[in-house]
Amino acid sequence: MAKYLLLKHYRGAPAPANCDAPIDQWTPAEISAHIKYMEDFGAKLVATGEFVEHQALAPEGTFVRYDGEGRPPVTDGPFPETKDLIAGWTVIDVDSYERALELAAELSAAPGPNGEPIHEWLELRPFLTAPPTITE
């Protein structure tokens, strides 16, 4: 088994990839359908034993970096360096990279306006594993 992070990006925030309507313009029913899809996806992963965790993120964010003088510079974020909104994540534990790709593609089809798949961008990242140990 290998753990992967499915990081949800809404490109060109606040609207997802192939969606003309910003999320704040979706109807309550469209938002509910999107959330239901995410809940059902999580339940499916629980049933298959592939679920680790998932969490949505608020759109507000701040970048903080030590400046060498004891004052962390703070900038508005996450927008200065990217037009993507990182909306949340799901952590899965699967048998293969191919299975991780399959689940990422399924999650990318979450519904948006008019129930159409939004084809959202997902970043698929393996968890770093311990480096190999050399024994002599």
Side-chain angles (χ1 to χ4, degrees):
M1 299 289 278
K3 288 184 183 172
Y4 289 88
L5 172 71
L6 300 173
L7 190 60
K8 296 169 57 65
H9 287 257
Y10 288 157
R11 294 200 85 111
N18 290 343
C19 178
D20 294 329
I23 294 168
D24 62 358
Q25 294 177 12
W26 293 12
T27 67
E30 291 166 342
I31 292 170
S32 293
H34 184 80
I35 291 170
K36 174 94 169 79
Y37 184 94
M38 300 302 299
E39 290 170 348
D40 290 348
F41 183 79
K44 173 186 163 185
L45 294 176
V46 168
T48 63
E50 297 169 312
F51 180 81
V52 177
E53 70 173 302
H54 63 196
Q55 182 66 49
L57 298 172
E60 301 82 19
T62 302
F63 283 112
V64 178
R65 180 180 51 106
Y66 178 70
D67 70 353
E69 297 182 24
R71 301 181 314 270
V74 176
T75 63
D76 291 347
F79 305 110
E81 286 79 16
T82 180
K83 292 184 180 176
D84 289 3
L85 168 65
I86 299 176
W89 74 81
T90 299
V91 177
I92 57 176
D93 195 0
V94 295
D95 288 329
S96 66
Y97 175 70
E98 290 73 22
R99 177 63 176 156
L101 289 175
E102 180 183 321
L103 291 172
E106 183 178 337
L107 186 56
S108 174
N114 301 314
E116 296 294 319
I118 59 174
H119 307 284
E120 78 181 313
W121 285 95
L122 293 170
E123 184 176 344
L124 179 64
R125 304 270 310 261
F127 276 51
L128 185 63
T129 58
T133 303
I134 299 174
T135 58
E136 294 185 31

